[in-house]
Amino acid sequence: MSTMETTKQTNLLELSVDMALRAWISQNQRVDGLLDTLTEQDLEQETAPGRNTGIYILGHLAAVNDGLFPLLGVGQKLHPELEQTFLRDPENKTAPKQSLAVLKKYWKDINEKLMSQFKALKPEDWFKRHNSVSEEDFAKEPHRNKLNVLLNRTAHQSYHIGQLVYLKKK
Amino acid sequence: MSTMETTKQTNLLELSVDMALRAWISQNQRVDGLLDTLTEQDLEQETAPGRNTGIYILGHLAAVNDGLFPLLGVGQKLHPELEQTFLRDPENKTAPKQSLAVLKKYWKDINEKLMSQFKALKPEDWFKRHNSVSEEDFAKEPHRNKLNVLLNRTAHQSYHIGQLVYLKKK
């Protein structure tokens, strides 16, 4: 392989990570846009009858993103207290201790910190093992890397955005 | 860069495409799973009051996937007749001409054909221009490639899956 081809491969690898990060940012921004548009009263509503409220989904998304710090090995959770209410328990089992304003701030802080950590990673780092797969399994399934977690979490955000939009008035 | 490093970069590039395809397949399969679980009566319901029905969302997802053939330069649409009802018009503007059984078959056929076309692409092909960006713009924004379309459409499927799950009984 020529030097030019090697450079091209490296660039495509960088591009590949760049695209995954762009997709991630784009979903974060869609949530931000909804949080700017929807009122507190809107967010207190169920997204459909008997389904999660906007506030619960926001807390859930914040808790999931917070979990990326340890999962990707880029730090500790900023708000581990979100886990019980928004990841383990279904809505209404435990009353959220956080107001909407607090959850919005957590969401913003978590994403900002994550992004600064992400930008410090080199493209190759994204292809390393994440922390919920063993070294043995990773050797057999190299796609279970950090970038894959990011792709899956991007889809997960999009899934819940599809629900949050139902709070917008038609 | 040594030969070993070059090989590694090439493998990571392949892996990167493989991961995007896995994410795509995984969302397709989630839709398939819902279509297996939900009855015709379930799918005729609105996903939330005043929102799209399950059948409309299925037609929409099939039409969007069908659009990938020309967009990614891997063929012609199998069912261009879906476009007006499921992409251009909102639900209830034009009555769908297709039964649920027909839409399910289209969804399956489109995805199978797409997958066989995708598998024929080389990893580098995914980093080439897609057909709705000009050569000039692509030169400036190389992330506007085929792989990026796949990532975005994967998120789009996930968005609507978040809505389709509301048809499941609690």
Side-chain angles (χ1 to χ4, degrees):
Chain A
M1 198 177 266
S2 71
T3 307
M4 189 181 282
E5 279 171 331
T6 308
T7 309
K8 200 179 145 204
Q9 296 284 356
T10 312
N11 288 348
L12 292 186
L13 198 65
E14 281 180 23
L15 190 58
S16 176
V17 170
D18 174 64
M19 284 155 52
L21 283 170
R22 282 173 185 269
W24 167 259
I25 292 168
S26 149
Q27 300 303 322
N28 283 340
Q29 287 176 340
R30 287 184 78 180
V31 176
D32 292 341
L34 284 167
L35 294 177
D36 286 345
T37 313
L38 297 167
T39 65
E40 177 152 11
Q41 203 187 358
D42 292 334
L43 287 160
E44 282 167 356
Q45 305 301 312
E46 292 173 340
T47 47
R51 308 292 173 168
N52 292 134
T53 63
I55 293 183
Y56 187 86
I57 291 176
L58 171 62
H60 174 69
L61 290 174
V64 168
N65 285 8
D66 206 21
L68 289 177
F69 291 108
L71 186 54
L72 301 181
V74 294
Q76 296 301 311
K77 285 188 178 191
L78 301 187
H79 297 289
E81 71 276 16
L82 297 175
E83 190 174 323
Q84 189 66 40
T85 312
F86 296 106
L87 288 182
R88 295 181 187 271
D89 292 340
E91 183 160 9
N92 296 324
K93 178 154 181 200
T94 46
K97 295 167 192 72
Q98 300 83 7
S99 67
L100 174 62
V102 165
L103 288 176
K104 279 185 177 181
K105 185 176 184 317
Y106 286 3
W107 165 254
K108 193 163 169 272
D109 292 347
I110 289 165
N111 290 345
E112 277 179 9
K113 180 84 182 292
L114 273 179
M115 196 43 60
S116 82
Q117 299 295 75
F118 288 171
K119 286 187 176 162
L121 293 176
K122 282 177 286 195
E124 312 85 81
D125 293 337
W126 284 100
F127 293 86
K128 293 179 183 157
R129 185 169 69 89
H130 63 69
N131 289 328
S132 70
V133 61
S134 69
E135 286 192 32
E136 294 71 32
D137 288 345
F138 183 59
K140 285 175 275 176
E141 302 180 290
H143 70 276
R144 297 175 69 181
N145 54 43
K146 299 180 192 208
L147 192 61
N148 204 45
V149 169
L150 191 73
L151 293 178
N152 292 337
R153 291 300 188 275
T154 299
H156 173 258
Q157 281 190 58
S158 189
Y159 175 97
H160 287 298
I161 292 167
Q163 300 171 338
L164 285 174
V165 294
Y166 281 173
L167 296 173
K168 288 169 78 174
K169 287 170 192 68
K170 288 193 84 173
Chain B
M1 197 177 268
S2 71
T3 307
M4 191 181 282
E5 279 171 329
T6 308
T7 309
K8 200 179 145 203
Q9 295 284 357
T10 311
N11 288 348
L12 292 185
L13 198 66
E14 281 179 21
L15 190 58
S16 174
V17 170
D18 175 63
M19 284 154 54
L21 283 171
R22 281 172 185 270
W24 167 258
I25 293 168
S26 148
Q27 299 305 321
N28 282 341
Q29 287 176 339
R30 286 183 79 179
V31 176
D32 293 340
L34 284 166
L35 293 178
D36 286 343
T37 314
L38 297 166
T39 64
E40 177 151 10
Q41 203 189 358
D42 292 334
L43 286 160
E44 282 166 357
Q45 306 301 312
E46 291 174 342
T47 48
R51 308 293 172 168
N52 291 135
T53 63
I55 291 182
Y56 187 85
I57 292 177
L58 171 62
H60 174 69
L61 290 174
V64 168
N65 285 8
D66 206 22
L68 289 177
F69 290 108
L71 185 54
L72 301 181
V74 294
Q76 297 301 311
K77 286 188 178 190
L78 301 187
H79 296 290
E81 70 277 15
L82 297 175
E83 190 174 322
Q84 189 66 39
T85 313
F86 296 105
L87 288 181
R88 296 182 186 270
D89 292 340
E91 184 161 9
N92 297 323
K93 177 152 184 202
T94 45
K97 294 168 194 74
Q98 300 82 8
S99 67
L100 174 61
V102 165
L103 288 176
K104 279 186 176 182
K105 185 177 183 318
Y106 286 3
W107 164 254
K108 194 164 169 271
D109 292 347
I110 290 165
N111 290 344
E112 277 179 9
K113 179 83 183 289
L114 274 179
M115 196 44 59
S116 82
Q117 298 296 74
F118 289 172
K119 286 187 175 162
L121 294 176
K122 282 176 286 196
E124 312 85 81
D125 293 336
W126 284 101
F127 293 85
K128 293 178 184 158
R129 183 170 70 89
H130 62 68
N131 289 329
S132 70
V133 61
S134 70
E135 287 193 32
E136 295 70 33
D137 288 345
F138 183 60
K140 286 175 276 178
E141 301 178 292
H143 70 276
R144 298 175 69 181
N145 55 43
K146 299 179 192 208
L147 193 61
N148 204 44
V149 169
L150 191 72
L151 293 178
N152 292 337
R153 291 299 187 277
T154 299
H156 173 258
Q157 281 190 57
S158 189
Y159 174 97
H160 287 297
I161 292 167
Q163 300 171 339
L164 285 175
V165 294
Y166 282 173
L167 296 174
K168 287 168 78 173
K169 287 168 192 70
K170 288 192 85 173

